[in-house]
Amino acid sequence: DLKILSSTNLSFRCHCSRERVESVLISLGYDELSSLASEGHAEVVCPFCCEKYQFNESELQDLCEKVRK
């Protein structure tokens, strides 16, 4: 016999955010970030929810400065 003790609603929730993506980019290190900045832009796509995060050259250079500190 099956006895249900409790039930829970399930839902898919991705916890990605621009701040998390910035942390990932910072973890690449100065040289890689500098290379991305020289290309003028970067796009990061979350593999779970497919949200796209765009970074322009100025934003990537700001991240480079954070790595240097």
Side-chain angles (χ1 to χ4, degrees):
D1 290 332
L2 176 65
K3 183 176 182 182
I4 298 175
L5 301 176
S6 67
S7 63
T8 304
N9 291 330
L10 296 177
S11 65
F12 172 77
R13 292 185 197 140
C14 186
H15 299 287
C16 72
S17 67
R18 187 166 183 87
E19 292 78 22
R20 285 185 179 209
V21 173
E22 286 177 0
S23 295
V24 170
L25 289 173
I26 287 171
S27 73
L28 294 175
Y30 180 81
D31 292 338
E32 189 67 29
L33 264 177
S34 180
S35 176
L36 287 172
S38 70
E39 291 178 18
H41 72 283
E43 178 181 87
V44 179
V45 180
C46 176
F48 301 106
C49 69
C50 298
E51 181 74 26
K52 292 181 182 180
Y53 297 93
Q54 303 282 336
F55 295 87
N56 62 34
E57 182 179 2
S58 175
E59 292 168 327
L60 292 167
Q61 288 176 347
D62 290 344
L63 293 176
C64 284
E65 291 305 313
K66 287 183 181 180
V67 171
R68 282 188 160 177
K69 292 181 182 180

